[in-house]
């Protein structure tokens, strides 16, 4: 258990030094805010960049709050997982470069990556 606690404290300190406490939440906030804004302005974007022929009508209904919420959650399931994978790739690369991973068991190392 002390091995796990030591590695967990090390990973928390590394995240603090790399500003992951700042950029990961900001990224998720921007990801959540961008979908409702994009959905709201989609008709104006299509009108300004469309170059539609005469008589073409694109009627996009205003989505309800539940629809926008579901769309935002679907973004979190795709892009959110990508953000988490990319942030943990840096942790694994730093561990392999420094050679610290050889001091601990493989199970303990994977547990720390899951919890951090």
């Amino acid at each position: 258990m002390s091995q796990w606690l030591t590695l967990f404290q090390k990973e928390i300190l590394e995240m603090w030094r790399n500003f992951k406490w700042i950029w990961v939440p900001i990224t998720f906030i921007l990801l959540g805010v961008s979908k409702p804004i994009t959905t709201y302005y989609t008709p104006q974007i299509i009108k300004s960049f469309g170059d539609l022929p005469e008589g073409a009508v694109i009627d996009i209904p205003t989505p309800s709050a539940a629809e926008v919420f579901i769309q935002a959650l679907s973004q979190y399931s795709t892009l959110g997982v990508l953000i988490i994978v990319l942030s943990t790739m840096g942790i694994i690369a730093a561990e392999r470069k420094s050679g610290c991973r050889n001091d601990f068991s493989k199970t303990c190392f994977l547990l720390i990556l899951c919890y951090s």
Side-chain angles (χ1 to χ4, degrees), residues 39-114:
T39 304
Y40 181 77
Y41 287 111
T42 299
Q44 287 89 359
I45 293 170
I46 290 175
K47 285 179 186 174
S48 65
F49 293 114
D51 288 338
L52 297 174
E54 286 295 322
V57 177
I58 296 179
D59 186 28
I60 300 174
T62 305
S64 66
E67 289 174 346
V68 173
F69 183 70
I70 290 171
Q71 290 173 355
L73 286 181
S74 70
Q75 271 192 329
Y76 282 133
S77 67
T78 54
L79 293 176
V81 170
L82 179 66
I83 292 166
I84 291 172
V85 166
L86 290 176
S87 67
T88 55
M89 278 175 43
I91 293 172
I92 294 172
E95 292 295 324
R96 290 191 63 184
K97 185 178 179 182
S98 69
C100 291
R101 189 222 153 292
N102 295 332
D103 299 340
F104 302 103
S105 69
K106 188 181 285 188
T107 306
C108 187
F109 180 70
L110 291 175
L111 279 174
I112 293 302
L113 286 178
C114 289

Side-chain angles (χ1 to χ4, degrees), residues 1-67:
M1 184 65 181
S2 66
Q3 202 177 37
W4 184 86
L5 187 60
T6 303
L7 271 177
F8 186 71
Q9 289 172 345
K10 178 189 155 304
E11 293 299 329
I12 295 295
L13 181 64
E14 184 178 338
M15 281 194 273
W16 182 261
R17 288 179 180 164
N18 292 334
F19 299 105
K20 285 185 184 176
W21 294 105
I22 297 171
W23 72 263
V24 171
I26 288 175
T27 305
F28 278 104
I29 290 170
L30 289 175
L31 188 64
V33 168
S34 68
K35 188 60 176 179
I37 292 172
T38 306
T39 304
Y40 181 77
Y41 287 111
T42 299
Q44 287 89 359
I45 293 170
I46 290 175
K47 285 179 186 174
S48 65
F49 293 114
D51 288 338
L52 297 174
E54 286 295 322
V57 177
I58 296 179
D59 186 28
I60 300 174
T62 305
S64 66
E67 289 174 346

